[in-house]
Amino acid sequence: AQSVTQPDIHITVSEGASLELRCNYSYGATPYLFWYVQSPGQGLQLLLKYFSGDTLVQGIKGFEAEFKRSQSSFNLRKPSVHWSDAAEYFCVWAPGGYNKLIFGAGTRLAVHP
Amino acid sequence: EAGVAQSPRYKIIEKRQSVAFWCNPISGHATLYWYQQILGQGPKLLIQFQNNGVVDDSQLPKDRFSAERLKGVDSTLKIQPAKLEDSAVYLCASSLAVSGPLTQYFGPGTRLLVL
């Protein structure tokens, strides 16, 4: 079955430290990939997306992600985390380019001061 | 630009009661989606509309869930009768069209608790 795996359920980092959230999708000829963030009481906000082209994509709030087809991965990174980044992060996959989104289970990020 | 609007934000009901949620998508967005997000999980698509027609309702529990999008704008999602396992956040999203990898914009959600 088509699926998205986020292996880390919870991650805790110190403010100012670097961050990498892992994501793998099961298979797909032309994957369309997204990262969304969900803060408490807030709706899902798009951080960045990959459709084609440069495999390193830049997003909002200083986030970036790298698509690696050979590893079926789309990891999210940020060089220096801020306390306001504490939230839940979802890796999302649209297999085959259609608009049916498949969400990972999410990674909850906590930031220590 | 106004975002996706949803109401109510919170709802508490007893099992076997009925409940309805309302969504108003971003103006001009032809495609509307309803998702169910159970605590600790990612959202799962329930139903997708293109204008006022259903594109995908394969994961909608049709014995108790129904949805409509009259006039191709606002949409309502109904649960009748509700079960304890329906406790979740119900998210509405919209996008410009159904074809291609278009970005979906999400509303704040309706948090449902079934007692």
Side-chain angles (χ1 to χ4, degrees):
Chain A
Q2 298 170 329
S3 65
V4 176
T5 301
Q6 293 182 248
D8 304 305
I9 298 174
H10 292 99
I11 284 183
T12 300
V13 299
S14 298
E15 191 168 17
S18 63
L19 173 70
E20 182 169 27
L21 302 183
R22 296 181 291 165
C23 171
N24 292 95
Y25 61 96
S26 55
Y27 62 88
T30 308
Y32 297 94
L33 296 155
F34 310 77
W35 276 97
Y36 280 84
V37 60
Q38 188 174 39
S39 300
Q42 304 284 321
L44 286 156
Q45 182 183 22
L46 179 69
L47 285 177
L48 48 77
K49 59 189 177 185
Y50 171 78
F51 291 165
S52 65
D54 193 347
T55 56
L56 184 64
V57 294
Q58 303 297 321
I60 62 171
K61 304 184 180 185
F63 285 92
E64 66 177 26
E66 185 172 14
F67 170 61
K68 293 185 177 180
R69 184 183 295 276
S70 61
Q71 299 177 21
S72 298
S73 69
F74 189 56
N75 295 347
L76 181 72
R77 300 194 293 251
K78 186 169 185 178
S80 178
V81 171
H82 188 262
W83 63 267
S84 61
D85 293 325
E88 186 139 27
Y89 292 79
F90 291 95
C91 181
V92 185
W93 175 37
Y98 297 101
N99 263 347
K100 180 172 183 174
L101 300 184
I102 298 174
F103 282 75
T107 297
R108 183 166 297 277
L109 174 67
V111 181
H112 279 326
Chain B
E1 180 184 84
V4 176
Q6 290 187 247
S7 68
R9 293 294 306 275
Y10 305 92
K11 190 73 176 180
I12 301 174
I13 63 173
E14 294 188 349
K15 60 183 179 183
R16 291 188 289 274
Q17 286 186 323
S18 63
V19 64
F21 312 127
W22 173 82
C23 173
N24 181 244
I26 293 173
S27 178
H29 280 195
T31 308
L32 185 146
Y33 314 78
W34 283 102
Y35 289 84
Q36 179 191 57
Q37 185 178 14
I38 293 172
L39 187 65
Q41 300 180 19
K44 181 187 77 173
L45 179 69
L46 291 176
I47 189 167
Q48 177 179 338
F49 291 94
Q50 169 80 353
N51 296 312
N52 60 349
V54 175
V55 174
D56 183 353
D57 64 356
S58 57
Q59 298 193 84
L60 186 74
K62 299 180 185 63
D63 57 334
R64 298 184 301 105
F65 286 64
S66 64
E68 60 181 11
R69 191 183 184 199
L70 300 177
K71 302 181 181 179
V73 181
D74 294 4
S75 177
T76 55
L77 176 70
K78 297 179 182 178
I79 308 175
Q80 183 178 12
K83 292 185 175 181
L84 297 177
E85 58 261 36
D86 298 331
S87 294
V89 176
Y90 291 85
L91 297 165
C92 180
S94 69
S95 66
L96 278 171
V98 72
S99 61
L102 296 173
T103 300
Q104 295 183 23
Y105 298 87
F106 287 81
T110 296
R111 187 175 297 275
L112 173 67
L113 179 61
V114 182
L115 302 176

